[in-house]
Amino acid sequence: MKYVLYRANGFGSTCVEAALELLNLPFDRIDVEVLGSAQERARVRAVNPAGQIPALVLPNDDLMTESAGILIYLGDLHPEAGLAPTPDAPQRPDYLRWLLFLSSNYYSTFAITDGPERFLADERQHPDLLTKSLERRKQFWKIMEDGVFPGPYILGEAMSLLDVYVAMMSHWSPRRDWFFEHCPRLSGAVRATEAHPIIRSVWKRNFALEAV
Ligand SMILES: N[C@@H](CCC(=O)N[C@@H](CS)C(=O)NCC(=O)O)C(=O)O
């Protein structure tokens, strides 16, 4: 029995694709356009009523959504891979804290910029909404950058799915140049993560560029 991942290059499904590959779990990819035509969006909503990816159908046919939740689930299901600190590990609180910090704060701003009309009918106010969203993204990255990270990865010696999450998001707005300049410690973890051969190959497909 396989997983089925609804995905699009470079979107939030990228981290789930990476997790499935790192864990060597068989899965099928189904390409969708979440920001595409009304018909295409309806196709996505038929799978995930929120109209979003990642959407992962589990081998028992249950649906799972929410990028951070999926990463936590997969990492916990395969502790032997060492991609998630176990519940009693000292790194566990930071692991959960930053995964959820990113999904609920940083990631959620994309719901605004991907469809400002969903929040404000008056188009003249959209540029302000976009500017403010960008400012908030930068603030959230700086808050995380100022957290205590021992390196070389965010939680210390071992790469975790938190590093994969951050590496994916480093490609998103405010984009890599800003990220590398303002978040040097997180950037170190991103570079270390992107040196992993599986991450390199998943990134090549998703971001159509060299990983680092
Ligand atoms: N909370 C969700 C957010 C997922 C999300 O916003 N995905 C974007 C693509 S990266 C999407 O599907 N956007 C379509 C829309 O908002 O209509 C998660 O963490 O998985």
Side-chain angles (χ1 to χ4, degrees):
M1 293 270 277
K2 279 183 175 178
Y3 289 86
V4 177
L5 177 64
Y6 289 80
R7 49 113 33 221
N9 281 342
F11 283 61
S13 47
T14 307
C15 62
V16 178
E17 206 170 319
L20 291 165
E21 293 212 9
L22 286 166
L23 295 168
N24 203 18
L25 299 171
F27 68 103
D28 287 328
R29 294 182 182 81
I30 297 187
D31 289 314
V32 291
E33 289 178 38
V34 276
L35 303 175
S37 64
Q39 190 186 7
E40 186 65 13
R41 287 175 191 237
R43 187 174 154 237
V44 179
R45 276 200 307 275
V47 180
N48 175 8
Q52 296 175 337
I53 54 170
L56 183 68
V57 181
L58 307 181
N60 69 357
D61 270 349
D62 280 352
L63 173 70
M64 197 164 178
T65 66
E66 303 313 312
S67 52
I70 295 171
L71 294 184
I72 293 166
Y73 174 73
L74 292 175
D76 285 356
L77 212 52
H78 298 280
E80 71 286 354
L83 289 170
T86 52
D88 58 348
Q91 297 88 351
R92 182 74 173 190
D94 269 351
Y95 178 68
L96 296 179
R97 176 187 176 192
W98 294 117
L99 277 172
L100 296 180
F101 173 85
L102 287 171
S103 90
S104 57
N105 292 311
Y106 169 83
Y107 199 166
S108 62
T109 65
F110 290 84
I112 301 170
T113 53
D114 286 348
E117 71 286 349
R118 297 185 285 202
F119 294 84
L120 270 181
D122 185 349
E123 276 187 22
R124 288 167 304 180
Q125 294 179 325
H126 289 181
D128 267 359
L129 208 51
L130 302 184
T131 305
K132 291 288 175 200
S133 298
L134 179 61
E135 278 171 20
R136 278 180 74 74
R137 284 174 198 158
K138 291 177 178 174
Q139 283 165 10
F140 292 136
W141 277 132
K142 284 182 182 161
I143 289 168
M144 191 169 174
E145 172 71 10
D146 290 341
V148 177
F149 304 125
Y153 296 100
I154 296 172
L155 300 176
E157 289 302 317
M159 184 178 93
S160 74
L161 294 176
L162 174 60
D163 294 290
V164 174
Y165 206 41
V166 168
M168 171 186 77
M169 289 172 166
S170 73
H171 286 268
W172 298 353
S173 162
R175 305 249 173 226
R176 302 272 274 193
D177 286 349
W178 184 93
F179 186 86
F180 286 149
E181 185 181 341
H182 294 90
C183 303
R185 291 193 299 162
L186 286 172
S187 296
V190 165
R191 289 184 196 281
T193 303
E194 292 182 340
H196 191 294
I198 291 180
I199 298 296
R200 287 189 81 87
S201 80
V202 174
W203 263 218
K204 207 161 186 178
R205 181 182 322 115
N206 276 276
F207 298 115
L209 45 75
E210 283 303 314
V212 192

